[in-house]
């Protein structure tokens, strides 16, 4: 399937409108760093910022599995860095007590949600349904790099991310604001040209 330039622009504006609608709500932008990518890996750092970009949570977590050398090479976190970290149980309790009116956004939500679930299982805790919106998919639609062979937008790397949970939250917050501002500008142009 090939998209026309008109369809790409419509999709871009749709993504920008969704971002605009999201940033006007109570929300958490969440990110994690992990021991690795496997089905046995766990969360070792979690960050959350709110709709204004204020830090809600920035904590290291002591895992029950080793940190892979590959993961450590990316985020720079070693076992010594997390050996005195919080237990995942305390983070789990914090997440479960979230006000249900707060919308959760995550860059690559499928990955972070899976790792939160894996950490819950590893600690014999119930799964948490964050019902997160994926900022990466929204941003990929906004960027508009269409992949005809997969009939979807190509996933985009997080611009401005530094591979710390809180740094990646702030970067996600920034791209949401950029998309929302684009929508506001486009609405202004439409009003001006009408």
């Amino acid at each position: 399937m090939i998209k026309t330039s008109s369809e790409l622009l419509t999709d871009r504006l749709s993504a920008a409108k969704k971002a605009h609608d999201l940033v006007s709500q109570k929300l958490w932008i969440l990110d994690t760093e992990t021991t690795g990518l496997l089905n046995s890996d766990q969360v070792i750092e979690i960050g959350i910022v709110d709709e204004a970009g204020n830090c809600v949570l920035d904590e290291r977590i002591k895992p029950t599995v080793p940190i892979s050398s590959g993961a450590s090479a990316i985020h720079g976190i070693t076992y010594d860095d997390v050996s005195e970290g919080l237990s995942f149980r305390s983070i789990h309790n914090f997440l479960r007590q979230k006000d249900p009116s707060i919308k959760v956004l995550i860059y690559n939500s499928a990955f972070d949600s899976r790792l939160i679930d894996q950490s819950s299982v590893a600690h014999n805790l119930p799964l948490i349904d964050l019902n997160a919106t994926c900022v990466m998919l929204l941003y990929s639609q906004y960027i508009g790099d269409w992949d005809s062979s997969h009939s979807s937008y190509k996933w985009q790397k997080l611009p401005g991310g530094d591979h710390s949970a809180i740094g990646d939250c702030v970067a996600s917050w920034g791209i949401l604001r950029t998309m929302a501002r684009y929508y506001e500008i486009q609405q202004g142009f439409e009003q001006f040209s009408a």
Side-chain angles (χ1 to χ4, degrees):
M1 174 183 170
I2 297 174
K3 287 208 175 225
T4 66
S5 58
S6 177
E7 290 171 320
L8 293 172
L9 286 172
T10 298
D11 286 355
R12 179 181 176 99
L13 189 58
S14 175
K17 182 184 185 321
K18 185 165 184 175
H20 182 268
D21 293 346
L22 286 167
V23 298
S24 64
Q25 299 177 37
K26 288 174 34 176
L27 57 85
W28 280 359
I29 302 169
L30 182 151
D31 191 77
T32 66
E33 298 303 326
T34 66
T35 59
L37 306 174
L38 302 176
N39 290 333
S40 59
D41 283 307
Q42 299 174 20
V43 173
I44 56 172
E45 185 177 70
I46 187 166
I48 300 174
V49 298
D50 66 14
E51 66 277 0
N54 299 313
C55 180
V56 173
L57 182 69
D58 182 13
E59 294 290 345
R60 296 247 167 110
I61 303 162
K62 184 177 180 178
T64 63
V65 296
I67 300 171
S68 74
S69 58
S72 189
I74 292 170
H75 52 54
I77 301 170
T78 65
Y79 188 77
D80 286 343
D81 297 325
V82 297
S83 64
E84 300 295 321
L86 295 176
S87 71
F88 184 77
R89 182 175 297 278
S90 62
I91 297 301
H92 186 272
N93 290 338
F94 180 83
L95 294 174
R96 284 182 52 114
Q97 294 172 12
K98 176 189 78 64
D99 178 338
S101 69
I102 297 174
K103 182 79 175 150
V104 177
L105 287 77
I106 303 173
Y107 203 90
N108 193 357
S109 63
F111 176 77
D112 289 74
S113 296
R114 177 174 66 86
L115 270 293
I116 290 169
D117 284 350
Q118 287 174 200
S119 297
S120 296
V121 169
H123 291 85
N124 297 313
L125 298 167
L127 300 182
I128 303 169
D129 182 9
L130 295 173
N131 194 24
T133 296
C134 185
V135 178
M136 180 183 69
L137 296 179
L138 191 63
Y139 183 62
S140 295
Q141 179 179 331
Y142 174 80
I143 292 299
D145 190 2
W146 184 254
D147 182 351
S148 296
S149 63
H150 292 100
S151 294
S152 65
Y153 287 102
K154 292 180 184 175
W155 292 356
Q156 301 295 311
K157 289 184 179 182
L158 176 61
D162 65 1
H163 296 293
S164 73
I166 201 68
D168 290 353
C169 288
V170 171
S172 293
W173 179 79
I175 63 170
L176 279 167
R177 301 294 304 167
T178 297
M179 290 187 288
R181 183 69 184 125
Y182 174 82
Y183 177 75
E184 291 170 355
I185 290 168
Q186 293 306 309
Q187 292 306 104
F189 285 149
E190 286 178 17
Q191 291 171 2
F192 180 73
S193 62

